[in-house]
Every structure is written in structure tokens, then in C-alpha cells.
Amino acid sequence: MLSVLRRARKSLGHLALVAATAVLAACVPGGGLSPSGGSGSGAIQVALLVPGGSGQLSDEVLAKSLENAARLAMGDLQNVEIDLRVYNTAGSPSQAAAQAQKAVAEGAQVILGPVFAQEANAAGVAVAASGVNVLSFSNNPDIAGNNVFVLGPTFDNTAARLASFAVRQGKGNIMIVHDRNTAGTIGRAAIERGVRATGGTVVSVGNYEFSQNGVVSAAPALVRTARETGAQAVFMTADSSGALPLISQLLVDNGLSSADAQFIGLTRWDIPAATLGLPGVQGGWFALPDPALFAQFQNRFTAAYAEAPHPIAGLAYDGIAAVGALSRSSLRGPLPRDALTQSAGFVGVNGIFRLLEDGKNERGLAVAQIKDGQAVIIDSAPRSFAGPGF
């Protein structure tokens, strides 16, 4: 009844990403960058590393979708010329490293991609001495740092957003319930950090063996613990392809629902859409990018390419958005780190985002609640980094 974990080489917790505005810019105006090196034509030379060439159809589909999203973003830029060069990594760390070195030798001033964490780490190490930064499509924070950034949504970002909202709603006494596996352990740590940072209290931590029998056996004790500790919310790491359908229903069956202690999800509870109809998740909260922007990007991409974008294709759009927003003054050579990490951030397909000094990112997320099988936004995604939501 529980699915197996995703392939190890893919970063944990991929969330569906979409959305785009027609004009991309930094959140606030200011001096940017317009590299005149690289291609020698005044264009910004960007290397896009994609997993093409692996022989797996899923990688080929992803590679093409990432390229198409990047080109869609290029068409939206105003008065900015991008020289986009695509390099296939075949999903291999060694080939990613070689292709990153080739890209830099050919004049790349910034690298977008690769997708998988081991690839991104290898690419970053391979070009570290060059000063070229790697904006990877991974969401694995373990590879972030030095010249490698992760563009993918992280557990820390989602946990902090939801914990902050819970505290503001008077539900700051939080019990964490996690899968007893790698993803669950990482998720639990992210929730603990998020709760601490936003003034909440972790009143208890419960877990279950990642199996059907494990969930069934653990549910009664989890409910007792929630009641005994006075938990106002239960923050779960489970996802819809794993334990979520079972653990949410068994908590309810044992007498605990969002009416008693607010259920909160670290992962997207609207993917696939059928998840929204599960009895156990009714009333639950989860975080997601601005759905209106999501729809805009999806519609525009589909109109341009006659197919829907891959769930993470929007990250390529975001990368071009950041590069384009930094193109307002001259610079030769690599895009510098201090420009990429400007505190104002950027506007991309999922709304506002910014790259942090430690290589991680922050994204403006909305909070949704499941009501009668529908996801209803109860706290909109922030439009700047100065207000609520961070």
C-alpha cells in the first residue's frame, strides 16, 4: 500500500513547480549586470546542463522541458540577450563535471542545472576554480555552498512557512510525525528548525516504520501522544506517494483529525489531484507556489510547445529570470556571487525567490487548506521579502 522511495539520485521531495510573469525583474530596481564577455557579442552566455543522453525516456522528456522553459523565459526578457548553450549530462556525475568544464572553456558565465544532486555537486567542484556559479535544479541542501546553489524548493523553506503561519494562528504547540526513513528524518529536522525559528514549540516527536504494518501499529500511540502533550498541530512528513493516505486516515480512525489538532503537511497534498479527496487530509494545510502564477506558466508553456511542462521545468525559467534581472550594467566574466545573492531577490515562475549565502534559497509560498476535496488558499504567497510569510 506504500510506494517505494524515489530513485536515490533524484533529490528528495520534488514539488510541482509552475507559474510565470510575462516580464521578469529583480524585486527592486538597481544596478545589475550585463556581461559583455563570454560569447563576445554582448550577450550573457548561459550553459544549461540537462540530463539528456542517458537513454531513459523520462530524462529526455525532462531535458527538453527544461530547455523549452528556459527559452520561454528568454522570450519574456526585455532588452536582454541570452546566449543559451545546452549540454547533455546523461544523468552522470562524471559527465556533468566534464560538460561543466567544457561550458566554462567555451565562455559560460553562469551554469543552470544539472538536475540531480550528485551531478550538481560534481559540476560545482569541477568549475570551482573558475569562479563560475552553478544554479542547480536540485532541492537537496546538502550540496549547497561554495559555488553551488539549489533552486529547487527545500524542506526548510516549506517548514518555516507553515510553522510561522501555525504560530500566527495560535497553533504553535506542534507534534512532529515522520516516516522512519531517510526522507522522514530529513523532514523532521527541517520541521524542528522551522518551529524553533518561528517561535513555536515542538511538544513531541512520533514516528512509524515505513510499511503498512508499521503505520497501523503506530497510529494509536501517536494519537495518545498528541492528546497527552496538548499538541495544537500535527506536522507530518508523509507524502501522497508514500504513507500519507494511510497515516492520515488512521489518525482520524483513532480519534484525531484537523478539528482536534491541525494537520500540516511538509509535502504537496494536491499532487496528484486525487490526494485532495482523501478523507484523512480534509482540513489539512500545506504550502505551494502561487496557484495563479502556476496556471499562467502552464498555459503559456502548453500553448508554445503543445504539451504541459515537466513539474520542475519552471526552475529553468527561474534561472533565466535571475540572470536577466542582473543584466543592467557591464561585466566581463562570471556573474558574481554577491549579485546572485542580493537580498531583494527575483521574480520567477513561482513568484518571488532569492538565493542565500549558504547556497540555499527562500521562496514565497502560499498556504492552502483542503476543504471538501478542494485546495483553498488561506494565506497568499508574499510578494516581497519584507512582509509576513518569512
Side-chain angles (χ1 to χ4, degrees), residues 42-278:
I44 307 168
Q45 188 168 320
V46 178
L48 177 64
L49 271 59
V50 297
S54 71
Q56 297 187 43
L57 178 60
S58 60
D59 287 344
E60 299 302 328
V61 170
L62 174 54
K64 191 59 180 176
S65 197
L66 288 165
E67 180 180 351
N68 285 343
R71 295 197 184 282
L72 188 66
M74 289 165 57
D76 287 339
L77 295 175
Q78 295 182 340
N79 303 316
V80 178
E81 184 181 354
I82 301 288
D83 178 6
L84 184 70
R85 304 188 184 187
V86 182
Y87 299 82
N88 287 323
T89 68
S92 160
S94 60
Q95 187 161 329
Q99 293 289 62
Q101 291 175 324
K102 179 181 179 183
V104 169
E106 293 177 349
Q109 294 163 273
V110 64
I111 292 173
L112 301 186
V115 174
F116 308 119
Q118 291 182 342
E119 283 185 282
N121 184 65
V125 170
V127 301
S130 70
V132 172
N133 289 294
V134 176
L135 310 187
S136 77
F137 301 139
S138 173
N139 63 355
N140 186 340
D142 290 344
I143 66 166
N146 298 318
N147 64 328
V148 176
F149 294 87
V150 292
L151 285 174
T154 65
F155 282 165
D156 279 290
N157 197 33
T158 301
R161 175 68 167 106
L162 289 165
S164 175
F165 182 71
V167 169
R168 296 202 310 273
Q169 301 305 306
K171 300 180 184 295
N173 290 335
I174 296 172
M175 176 180 179
I176 301 172
V177 174
H178 69 92
D179 310 91
R180 201 182 302 157
N181 58 21
T182 300
T185 301
I186 293 172
R188 180 205 68 203
I191 295 170
E192 289 174 334
R193 288 190 292 268
V195 173
R196 285 198 303 267
T198 54
T201 301
V202 175
V203 295
S204 60
V205 177
N207 60 65
Y208 47 83
E209 178 186 305
F210 191 63
S211 69
Q212 181 174 344
N213 289 338
V215 176
V216 171
S217 299
L222 292 172
V223 171
R224 286 196 301 272
T225 300
R227 294 193 181 282
E228 291 169 357
T229 58
Q232 297 167 314
V234 175
F235 208 145
M236 294 179 250
T237 66
D239 65 18
S240 57
S241 66
L244 180 61
L246 188 57
I247 185 61
S248 62
Q249 186 59 53
L250 286 175
L251 292 179
V252 172
D253 290 347
N254 282 273
L256 187 73
S257 71
S258 279
D260 307 299
Q262 180 64 55
F263 287 4
I264 305 175
L266 185 61
T267 61
R268 289 281 294 271
W269 284 7
D270 59 335
I271 298 173
T275 305
L276 294 169
L278 295 174

Side-chain angles (χ1 to χ4, degrees), residues 353-386:
F353 71 99
R354 62 183 171 188
L355 301 173
L356 305 179
E357 286 290 340
D358 62 4
K360 300 175 186 176
N361 68 70
E362 285 186 320
R363 289 182 172 276
L365 299 173
V367 177
Q369 183 172 31
I370 301 175
K371 298 180 180 180
D372 298 323
Q374 301 291 322
V376 178
I377 300 301
I378 57 174
D379 198 41
S380 299
R383 297 301 174 92
S384 77
F385 289 98

Side-chain angles (χ1 to χ4, degrees), residues 269-296:
W269 284 7
D270 59 335
I271 298 173
T275 305
L276 294 169
L278 295 174
V281 303
Q282 300 308 305
W285 297 345
F286 64 94
L288 73 168
D290 188 315
L293 293 179
F294 180 104
Q296 288 178 28

